[in-house]
Amino acid sequence: DQQVKQNSPSLSVQEGRISILNCDYTNSMFDYFLWYKKYPAEGPTFLISISSIKDKNEDGRFTVFLNKSAKHLSLHIVPSQPGDSAVYFCAASARTSGTYKYIFGTGTRLKVLA
Amino acid sequence: DAGITQSPRHKVTETGTPVTLRCHQTENHRYMYWYRQDPGHGLRLIHYSYGVKDTDKGEVSDGYSVSRSKTEDFLLTLESATSSQTSVYFCAISEPDGSPLHFGNGTRLTVT
């Protein structure tokens, strides 16, 4: 069973507009969430994280929102740039249980149109 | 790439042959991970290690074994490669201090 789900395989957005990528999870023990960006032929690179004690974390153009009751998180990119075109993965772990296993979603391919 | 080297970067092998992929880190991180990336499946955890000689299974561990005899090296072995193990394999490292995973650049394995 997929504990972390990204239901949109792809997303196209116009340059300068907002990109919203979504992620849902099923395991209520997850307490730490991360977003990664991946370009072809490279490893995933860390973008931003959020702990379950928060509902929002911001870093420049990137903001992650966490809705624990809905078991949902989203990544907002404002404004979107062509260089943001990549595959985005969300990941989750249950750190307070002493487990440092990170479970990833299936990814969303973002295309930012110039 | 946070001091992570994966070798080889590319490998083609035949069904039934053993294959070992190597991950080497220079960060002295405690945790090391092996993931595979496949279309439609994202990144799936194969095995991970939380210290020298301490390893545990991930989501898709069947057909794979791992070993960690030194902090800096984490080996992934396919005892008898199958075509379903054709994939891109990523190694990652982390510390249990709230820092995120950092990934290597991957090994593309093709089993013919």
Side-chain angles (χ1 to χ4, degrees):
Chain A
D1 65 335
Q2 191 80 20
Q3 296 187 67
V4 178
K5 302 176 187 178
Q6 294 177 257
N7 292 319
S8 298
S10 63
L11 174 69
S12 291
V13 170
Q14 208 64 36
E15 180 180 6
R17 305 295 292 267
I18 184 171
S19 295
I20 300 177
L21 296 97
N22 295 303
C23 180
D24 297 294
Y25 61 97
T26 58
N27 188 340
S28 57
M29 296 297 292
F30 287 150
D31 56 10
Y32 183 57
F33 305 89
L34 310 93
W35 284 95
Y36 283 79
K37 176 164 85 172
K38 186 182 180 306
Y39 294 120
E42 295 182 9
T45 55
F46 170 71
L47 269 178
I48 192 168
S49 63
I50 188 166
S51 160
S52 59
I53 62 172
K54 293 186 172 184
D55 54 18
K56 177 183 174 181
N57 189 26
E58 235 174 311
D59 184 2
R61 296 186 298 115
F62 301 93
T63 302
V64 56
F65 295 92
L66 175 62
N67 182 333
K68 290 186 290 291
S69 60
K71 294 190 179 69
H72 177 83
L73 63 154
S74 60
L75 175 68
H76 292 209
I77 306 173
V78 184
S80 301
Q81 300 173 354
D84 296 329
S85 296
V87 178
Y88 289 78
F89 292 99
C90 64
S93 72
R95 291 190 306 167
T96 51
S97 68
T99 302
Y100 289 87
K101 289 165 63 169
Y102 292 82
I103 306 300
F104 282 74
T106 52
T108 296
R109 183 177 301 277
L110 173 66
K111 188 171 184 178
V112 180
L113 307 168
Chain B
D1 63 358
I4 306 168
T5 304
Q6 291 187 232
S7 58
R9 291 296 314 275
H10 301 272
K11 184 168 183 69
V12 180
T13 192
E14 292 184 351
T15 299
T17 59
V19 177
T20 295
L21 308 183
R22 181 183 184 233
C23 178
H24 178 79
Q25 61 146 329
T26 58
E27 306 296 317
N28 202 37
H29 280 14
R30 179 179 164 194
Y31 282 78
M32 298 186 76
Y33 307 78
W34 278 107
Y35 287 87
R36 58 179 288 177
Q37 185 194 7
D38 304 288
H41 292 280
L43 290 157
R44 292 181 292 175
L45 180 63
I46 305 171
H47 282 281
Y48 72 107
S49 168
Y50 45 95
V52 174
K53 298 192 190 304
D54 292 321
T55 65
D56 202 355
K57 295 179 180 179
E59 305 164 272
V60 289
S61 58
D62 287 348
Y64 301 95
S65 63
V66 289
S67 67
R68 190 165 178 205
S69 58
K70 298 185 290 186
T71 298
E72 57 266 34
D73 289 324
F74 192 32
L75 304 180
L76 177 70
T77 297
L78 292 65
E79 301 291 347
S80 177
T82 68
S83 58
S84 65
Q85 294 176 311
T86 292
S87 186
V88 181
Y89 291 85
F90 289 99
C91 174
I93 64 174
S94 78
E95 278 286 289
D97 60 355
S99 58
L101 288 177
H102 292 285
F103 283 85
N105 283 326
T107 293
R108 180 173 294 277
L109 176 67
T110 302
V111 183
T112 60

